[in-house]
Amino acid sequence: MNLSLEHLINQKLIAIFSLLNLDTKFAAVKVSDRPDLSDFQCNGALALAKIERKNPREIANLIAQELQKDEDFAKISIDGPGFINISLSDKFLAHNIDKMAEDKNFGCAKVENPSRVVMDFGGPNVAKALHVGHLRSAVVGESIRRIETFVGNTVISDVHFGDWGTPMGMILSEIIRQDGDLSKVDTYDIKQISAFYKQANIRCKEDESAKEQARLITTKIQDKEPEFYKAWEHLRKVSVDDVKKNYNELDAHFDLWLGESDAHESCKEIVMIAQEKGISEVDDGATIIRLDETKSQRPPVILVKSDGGFGYQLTDIATIKMRYDDLKADEIIYVVDKRQSLHFEQVFEVAEKLNIAPNVKFLHIGFGTVNGADGKPFKTRDGGVMNLEDLIKLSKDKVRESLPLPNEVEGYGEKEIEKMVTQIAMAAIKFQDLKNNIASGYIFELDDFAKFEGKTGPYIQYAIARINSIIRKAQANNIKEGNVIISNQEEKDLALKISQISNVIMRAHTEHEPSIISDYAYSLAQAFSTFYNVSSIMNAESEELASSRLKISRLVRDILVQLLYLLGIESPEVMLKKQNA
Ligand code: ARG
């Protein structure tokens, strides 16, 4: 089913174009540039006239004559050199809203050829707490995961844990330096492990021999020497358990918890394939692949470093092979900081050169940074990196200020209030992120982002809760949903807005841009508010109108809930607000 109005009108135009022997590829329609003149327009006559060397108005006239025969249109006119203006009849529009209200997907289109999409986002690292830089990958990645699933693709999300590089050797060698051996590793929790990592970092920067030692131990881990490998397994497990808590709180879902370590065997294969195909060469002890320099000047890809270690690039190339062989990916989408663009450009080009994943589509969705008020990457007051946990806590504290205290409202004890605080704080954080274009960075707003007014997540949640209460009241007065009737301009505007959902989600999918959805959710909530100001349910002029408005309200509520879901945001049934907040 596809109840997009553009689609439905396009179908009608295609039939007319065929009848008139005109090329149907010019039968496209779009929302009118002049909503005061018409709802939709078709500009095809202009392009056709050029090809057929005819007068565009004449062609437009022929098409318009046919359109006029269709009762679904209230008004057809020709404007300027040959634009065809199309306005829908209220009946047709109302009927379409009825159909949307009956469909659990609101008549939204699906992709024609569903594909298997592997999504790589999250990208946490062993022994490092998630910080604000990880926020966007989780928030944007999860939203795109949900959008891709909604349009009909099969999505497999993989966190791609950073668990295999020199940091692993650094941590273990620091532990050995302090403890004498690895016998106590099993007892260390995430805080202790992170502390070792920080100390190792400082030491390796200053001391070449410490660095050397760390490299040596990294190879021991990678060669799976039992003592080292076992210790590493503990580091990994503790880290995974820790970040899982964070991702759960963010409601980011990963089907797979694979890491760089899982690509180790495949890395060896890649090196062999590259050698066999004569694509790699040895340069200063390292095995490298040079990229096509006619495209642009890029540094070569280092497969194996001169010390024999496998690097970040090789791991990603090897992981592509696994995603093709084992997961049968048609497409791989990476949601990673845009500062890694060159890395992915190199990785994709090598994967193509080696032909390890034929016909797979690669996409790096690079996001900009989350910044502080100074426009630089967000920091804590003392200049350190802001942990994700602290950022979430900060947001919750802010939201708590606008809610009643536990037990101030009947039925809302500590547990219920805290649940609401979490739902609103997450909405505030995520919406603030997803209302921006992915590629641009944004300033994390600490004052307005959690407000119930303006373009915020809590505003949309509040709009939903308000409709919930409208619906409860109507039901308590025995009003039932009935056929949609368009009785005034605000109803018509809202109906046209509602009808855009299919196109909006499709566009968010093709452009990989959740901000298209957040923009729409905001304008739909506003259109509802305008509608409801003039179209009361309880004081409707007739029972039929009350029933129609109840159905429209319910539909808008369901759509808003769906849109927030696609942004990774929950919709509480009820929203409380502190008196005079
Ligand atoms: N762990 C990496 C980092 O912190 C991000 C991983 C992104 N994904 C990937 N397949 N390279 O930079």
mmCIF file of all heavy atoms in Angstrom, residues 379-411:
data_model
loop_
_atom_site.group_PDB
_atom_site.id
_atom_site.type_symbol
_atom_site.label_atom_id
_atom_site.label_comp_id
_atom_site.label_asym_id
_atom_site.label_seq_id
_atom_site.Cartn_x
_atom_site.Cartn_y
_atom_site.Cartn_z
ATOM 1 N N LYS A 379 33.145 19.704 26.469
ATOM 2 C CA LYS A 379 34.054 19.305 27.565
ATOM 3 C C LYS A 379 33.352 19.501 28.908
ATOM 4 O O LYS A 379 32.372 20.223 29.009
ATOM 5 C CB LYS A 379 35.310 20.194 27.536
ATOM 6 C CG LYS A 379 36.201 19.972 26.329
ATOM 7 C CD LYS A 379 37.310 19.032 26.715
ATOM 8 C CE LYS A 379 38.193 18.509 25.646
ATOM 9 N NZ LYS A 379 38.221 18.847 24.313
ATOM 10 N N THR A 380 33.916 18.886 29.940
ATOM 11 C CA THR A 380 33.402 19.145 31.285
ATOM 12 C C THR A 380 33.945 20.497 31.741
ATOM 13 O O THR A 380 34.805 21.081 31.087
ATOM 14 C CB THR A 380 33.898 18.083 32.285
ATOM 15 O OG1 THR A 380 35.311 18.049 32.196
ATOM 16 C CG2 THR A 380 33.336 16.721 31.971
ATOM 17 N N ARG A 381 33.490 20.937 32.911
ATOM 18 C CA ARG A 381 33.941 22.240 33.391
ATOM 19 C C ARG A 381 35.457 22.307 33.558
ATOM 20 O O ARG A 381 36.077 23.331 33.331
ATOM 21 C CB ARG A 381 33.254 22.572 34.714
ATOM 22 C CG ARG A 381 32.232 23.663 34.486
ATOM 23 C CD ARG A 381 31.622 24.076 35.772
ATOM 24 N NE ARG A 381 30.180 23.926 35.643
ATOM 25 C CZ ARG A 381 29.355 23.853 36.659
ATOM 26 N NH1 ARG A 381 29.828 23.878 37.887
ATOM 27 N NH2 ARG A 381 28.088 23.756 36.458
ATOM 28 N N ASP A 382 36.038 21.184 33.999
ATOM 29 C CA ASP A 382 37.495 21.221 34.200
ATOM 30 C C ASP A 382 38.269 20.885 32.921
ATOM 31 O O ASP A 382 39.466 20.604 32.957
ATOM 32 C CB ASP A 382 37.920 20.328 35.368
ATOM 33 C CG ASP A 382 37.436 18.907 35.186
ATOM 34 O OD1 ASP A 382 37.185 18.519 34.022
ATOM 35 O OD2 ASP A 382 37.290 18.168 36.186
ATOM 36 N N GLY A 383 37.569 20.888 31.795
ATOM 37 C CA GLY A 383 38.267 20.724 30.527
ATOM 38 C C GLY A 383 38.415 19.283 30.057
ATOM 39 O O GLY A 383 38.976 19.024 29.009
ATOM 40 N N GLY A 384 37.926 18.329 30.858
ATOM 41 C CA GLY A 384 38.032 16.917 30.457
ATOM 42 C C GLY A 384 36.947 16.541 29.469
ATOM 43 O O GLY A 384 36.057 17.339 29.169
ATOM 44 N N VAL A 385 37.032 15.306 28.958
ATOM 45 C CA VAL A 385 35.995 14.831 28.033
ATOM 46 C C VAL A 385 34.740 14.527 28.856
ATOM 47 O O VAL A 385 34.824 13.989 29.951
ATOM 48 C CB VAL A 385 36.444 13.520 27.346
ATOM 49 C CG1 VAL A 385 35.562 13.224 26.158
ATOM 50 C CG2 VAL A 385 37.891 13.614 26.929
ATOM 51 N N MET A 386 33.610 14.882 28.299
ATOM 52 C CA MET A 386 32.342 14.651 29.008
ATOM 53 C C MET A 386 31.897 13.201 28.802
ATOM 54 O O MET A 386 31.664 12.765 27.684
ATOM 55 C CB MET A 386 31.299 15.617 28.459
ATOM 56 C CG MET A 386 29.899 15.432 28.986
ATOM 57 S SD MET A 386 29.693 15.863 30.709
ATOM 58 C CE MET A 386 29.151 17.545 30.607
ATOM 59 N N ASN A 387 31.813 12.462 29.909
ATOM 60 C CA ASN A 387 31.308 11.090 29.812
ATOM 61 C C ASN A 387 29.832 11.091 29.470
ATOM 62 O O ASN A 387 29.094 11.973 29.897
ATOM 63 C CB ASN A 387 31.469 10.380 31.154
ATOM 64 C CG ASN A 387 32.824 9.747 31.270
ATOM 65 O OD1 ASN A 387 33.559 9.642 30.290
ATOM 66 N ND2 ASN A 387 33.154 9.328 32.468
ATOM 67 N N LEU A 388 29.442 10.076 28.742
ATOM 68 C CA LEU A 388 28.044 9.979 28.339
ATOM 69 C C LEU A 388 27.153 9.862 29.570
ATOM 70 O O LEU A 388 26.085 10.466 29.648
ATOM 71 C CB LEU A 388 27.888 8.748 27.443
ATOM 72 C CG LEU A 388 26.639 8.688 26.627
ATOM 73 C CD1 LEU A 388 26.462 9.944 25.815
ATOM 74 C CD2 LEU A 388 26.682 7.491 25.700
ATOM 75 N N GLU A 389 27.611 9.098 30.532
ATOM 76 C CA GLU A 389 26.823 8.903 31.739
ATOM 77 C C GLU A 389 26.578 10.240 32.451
ATOM 78 O O GLU A 389 25.482 10.502 32.928
ATOM 79 C CB GLU A 389 27.577 7.958 32.673
ATOM 80 C CG GLU A 389 26.766 6.760 33.079
ATOM 81 C CD GLU A 389 27.615 5.744 33.809
ATOM 82 O OE1 GLU A 389 27.889 5.917 35.008
ATOM 83 O OE2 GLU A 389 28.020 4.785 33.136
ATOM 84 N N ASP A 390 27.618 11.057 32.504
ATOM 85 C CA ASP A 390 27.476 12.352 33.175
ATOM 86 C C ASP A 390 26.527 13.263 32.405
ATOM 87 O O ASP A 390 25.752 14.014 32.982
ATOM 88 C CB ASP A 390 28.848 13.036 33.314
ATOM 89 C CG ASP A 390 29.770 12.223 34.195
ATOM 90 O OD1 ASP A 390 29.250 11.461 35.047
ATOM 91 O OD2 ASP A 390 31.000 12.303 34.019
ATOM 92 N N LEU A 391 26.630 13.179 31.084
ATOM 93 C CA LEU A 391 25.757 14.004 30.251
ATOM 94 C C LEU A 391 24.291 13.613 30.463
ATOM 95 O O LEU A 391 23.407 14.467 30.581
ATOM 96 C CB LEU A 391 26.131 13.811 28.777
ATOM 97 C CG LEU A 391 25.369 14.712 27.825
ATOM 98 C CD1 LEU A 391 26.042 16.064 27.756
ATOM 99 C CD2 LEU A 391 25.314 14.107 26.426
ATOM 100 N N ILE A 392 24.050 12.321 30.567
ATOM 101 C CA ILE A 392 22.681 11.843 30.776
ATOM 102 C C ILE A 392 22.196 12.296 32.156
ATOM 103 O O ILE A 392 21.066 12.752 32.312
ATOM 104 C CB ILE A 392 22.618 10.303 30.616
ATOM 105 C CG1 ILE A 392 22.904 9.927 29.156
ATOM 106 C CG2 ILE A 392 21.265 9.757 31.054
ATOM 107 C CD1 ILE A 392 23.002 8.440 28.876
ATOM 108 N N LYS A 393 23.095 12.221 33.131
ATOM 109 C CA LYS A 393 22.723 12.622 34.495
ATOM 110 C C LYS A 393 22.364 14.115 34.520
ATOM 111 O O LYS A 393 21.364 14.526 35.096
ATOM 112 C CB LYS A 393 23.881 12.327 35.443
ATOM 113 C CG LYS A 393 23.534 12.576 36.886
ATOM 114 C CD LYS A 393 24.639 12.113 37.823
ATOM 115 C CE LYS A 393 24.353 12.577 39.245
ATOM 116 N NZ LYS A 393 24.185 14.027 39.380
ATOM 117 N N LEU A 394 23.202 14.888 33.852
ATOM 118 C CA LEU A 394 22.982 16.334 33.765
ATOM 119 C C LEU A 394 21.607 16.641 33.171
ATOM 120 O O LEU A 394 20.875 17.512 33.637
ATOM 121 C CB LEU A 394 24.055 16.876 32.823
ATOM 122 C CG LEU A 394 24.583 18.265 32.988
ATOM 123 C CD1 LEU A 394 25.791 18.194 33.920
ATOM 124 C CD2 LEU A 394 25.054 18.782 31.629
ATOM 125 N N SER A 395 21.276 15.914 32.114
ATOM 126 C CA SER A 395 20.003 16.135 31.434
ATOM 127 C C SER A 395 18.845 15.733 32.332
ATOM 128 O O SER A 395 17.813 16.405 32.378
ATOM 129 C CB SER A 395 19.940 15.331 30.143
ATOM 130 O OG SER A 395 21.069 15.591 29.375
ATOM 131 N N LYS A 396 19.018 14.633 33.032
ATOM 132 C CA LYS A 396 17.940 14.193 33.928
ATOM 133 C C LYS A 396 17.720 15.218 35.032
ATOM 134 O O LYS A 396 16.579 15.523 35.383
ATOM 135 C CB LYS A 396 18.298 12.842 34.551
ATOM 136 C CG LYS A 396 18.157 11.661 33.615
ATOM 137 C CD LYS A 396 18.338 10.395 34.417
ATOM 138 C CE LYS A 396 18.305 9.172 33.533
ATOM 139 N NZ LYS A 396 18.636 7.961 34.281
ATOM 140 N N ASP A 397 18.806 15.762 35.567
ATOM 141 C CA ASP A 397 18.670 16.770 36.626
ATOM 142 C C ASP A 397 17.870 17.964 36.119
ATOM 143 O O ASP A 397 17.029 18.516 36.817
ATOM 144 C CB ASP A 397 20.050 17.243 37.109
ATOM 145 C CG ASP A 397 20.773 16.145 37.880
ATOM 146 O OD1 ASP A 397 20.103 15.153 38.264
ATOM 147 O OD2 ASP A 397 21.999 16.257 38.076
ATOM 148 N N LYS A 398 18.167 18.329 34.886
ATOM 149 C CA LYS A 398 17.477 19.473 34.279
ATOM 150 C C LYS A 398 15.977 19.173 34.137
ATOM 151 O O LYS A 398 15.131 20.011 34.458
ATOM 152 C CB LYS A 398 18.099 19.717 32.901
ATOM 153 C CG LYS A 398 17.672 20.961 32.230
ATOM 154 C CD LYS A 398 18.512 22.116 32.676
ATOM 155 C CE LYS A 398 17.839 23.415 32.320
ATOM 156 N NZ LYS A 398 18.458 24.545 32.996
ATOM 157 N N VAL A 399 15.663 17.980 33.647
ATOM 158 C CA VAL A 399 14.259 17.615 33.420
ATOM 159 C C VAL A 399 13.518 17.532 34.753
ATOM 160 O O VAL A 399 12.381 17.988 34.884
ATOM 161 C CB VAL A 399 14.179 16.266 32.671
ATOM 162 C CG1 VAL A 399 12.768 15.701 32.702
ATOM 163 C CG2 VAL A 399 14.652 16.437 31.232
ATOM 164 N N ARG A 400 14.197 16.987 35.762
ATOM 165 C CA ARG A 400 13.566 16.826 37.074
ATOM 166 C C ARG A 400 13.050 18.166 37.612
ATOM 167 O O ARG A 400 12.034 18.220 38.287
ATOM 168 C CB ARG A 400 14.549 16.180 38.048
ATOM 169 C CG ARG A 400 13.866 15.275 39.060
ATOM 170 C CD ARG A 400 14.854 14.518 39.916
ATOM 171 N NE ARG A 400 15.415 13.345 39.269
ATOM 172 C CZ ARG A 400 16.684 13.219 38.881
ATOM 173 N NH1 ARG A 400 17.535 14.205 39.089
ATOM 174 N NH2 ARG A 400 17.112 12.118 38.296
ATOM 175 N N GLU A 401 13.758 19.241 37.247
ATOM 176 C CA GLU A 401 13.343 20.575 37.712
ATOM 177 C C GLU A 401 11.930 20.936 37.268
ATOM 178 O O GLU A 401 11.252 21.684 37.950
ATOM 179 C CB GLU A 401 14.287 21.660 37.138
ATOM 180 C CG GLU A 401 15.630 21.728 37.807
ATOM 181 C CD GLU A 401 16.584 22.652 37.043
ATOM 182 O OE1 GLU A 401 16.119 23.457 36.191
ATOM 183 O OE2 GLU A 401 17.800 22.546 37.285
ATOM 184 N N SER A 402 11.502 20.442 36.099
ATOM 185 C CA SER A 402 10.172 20.833 35.619
ATOM 186 C C SER A 402 9.085 19.826 35.970
ATOM 187 O O SER A 402 7.949 20.002 35.555
ATOM 188 C CB SER A 402 10.157 21.086 34.112
ATOM 189 O OG SER A 402 11.376 20.901 33.529
ATOM 190 N N LEU A 403 9.430 18.770 36.695
ATOM 191 C CA LEU A 403 8.400 17.789 37.055
ATOM 192 C C LEU A 403 8.024 17.922 38.530
ATOM 193 O O LEU A 403 8.817 18.406 39.332
ATOM 194 C CB LEU A 403 8.925 16.367 36.797
ATOM 195 C CG LEU A 403 9.135 15.946 35.347
ATOM 196 C CD1 LEU A 403 9.350 14.448 35.264
ATOM 197 C CD2 LEU A 403 7.954 16.319 34.473
ATOM 198 N N PRO A 404 6.810 17.467 38.869
ATOM 199 C CA PRO A 404 6.430 17.484 40.281
ATOM 200 C C PRO A 404 7.309 16.531 41.090
ATOM 201 O O PRO A 404 7.939 15.633 40.515
ATOM 202 C CB PRO A 404 4.983 16.993 40.266
ATOM 203 C CG PRO A 404 4.641 16.650 38.880
ATOM 204 C CD PRO A 404 5.774 16.947 37.985
ATOM 205 N N LEU A 405 7.350 16.707 42.382
ATOM 206 C CA LEU A 405 8.128 15.796 43.230
ATOM 207 C C LEU A 405 7.364 14.478 43.380
ATOM 208 O O LEU A 405 6.150 14.446 43.179
ATOM 209 C CB LEU A 405 8.324 16.428 44.618
ATOM 210 C CG LEU A 405 9.139 17.715 44.635
ATOM 211 C CD1 LEU A 405 9.084 18.350 46.020
ATOM 212 C CD2 LEU A 405 10.577 17.445 44.208
ATOM 213 N N PRO A 406 8.076 13.416 43.724
ATOM 214 C CA PRO A 406 7.380 12.144 43.941
ATOM 215 C C PRO A 406 6.248 12.325 44.953
ATOM 216 O O PRO A 406 6.405 13.054 45.944
ATOM 217 C CB PRO A 406 8.478 11.227 44.507
ATOM 218 C CG PRO A 406 9.755 11.816 44.025
ATOM 219 C CD PRO A 406 9.533 13.281 43.897
ATOM 220 N N ASN A 407 5.136 11.684 44.666
ATOM 221 C CA ASN A 407 3.948 11.691 45.522
ATOM 222 C C ASN A 407 3.222 13.047 45.608
ATOM 223 O O ASN A 407 2.253 13.175 46.336
ATOM 224 C CB ASN A 407 4.271 11.189 46.937
ATOM 225 C CG ASN A 407 4.820 9.773 46.872
ATOM 226 O OD1 ASN A 407 4.298 8.937 46.120
ATOM 227 N ND2 ASN A 407 5.879 9.508 47.592
ATOM 228 N N GLU A 408 3.675 14.022 44.856
ATOM 229 C CA GLU A 408 2.917 15.275 44.787
ATOM 230 C C GLU A 408 1.655 15.060 43.961
ATOM 231 O O GLU A 408 0.661 15.735 44.143
ATOM 232 C CB GLU A 408 3.771 16.363 44.112
ATOM 233 C CG GLU A 408 4.087 17.522 45.027
ATOM 234 C CD GLU A 408 5.043 18.510 44.380
ATOM 235 O OE1 GLU A 408 5.074 18.639 43.137
ATOM 236 O OE2 GLU A 408 5.765 19.154 45.141
ATOM 237 N N VAL A 409 1.771 14.148 42.999
ATOM 238 C CA VAL A 409 0.618 13.806 42.170
ATOM 239 C C VAL A 409 0.261 12.357 42.496
ATOM 240 O O VAL A 409 1.152 11.503 42.566
ATOM 241 C CB VAL A 409 0.964 13.924 40.668
ATOM 242 C CG1 VAL A 409 -0.198 13.469 39.804
ATOM 243 C CG2 VAL A 409 1.365 15.346 40.325
ATOM 244 N N GLU A 410 -1.029 12.115 42.672
ATOM 245 C CA GLU A 410 -1.456 10.780 43.072
ATOM 246 C C GLU A 410 -1.038 9.733 42.042
ATOM 247 O O GLU A 410 -1.180 9.948 40.843
ATOM 248 C CB GLU A 410 -2.970 10.773 43.224
ATOM 249 C CG GLU A 410 -3.408 9.790 44.301
ATOM 250 C CD GLU A 410 -4.891 9.519 44.207
ATOM 251 O OE1 GLU A 410 -5.661 10.490 44.274
ATOM 252 O OE2 GLU A 410 -5.240 8.336 44.043
ATOM 253 N N GLY A 411 -0.529 8.631 42.509
ATOM 254 C CA GLY A 411 -0.130 7.551 41.611
ATOM 255 C C GLY A 411 1.280 7.733 41.046
ATOM 256 O O GLY A 411 1.760 6.894 40.295
#
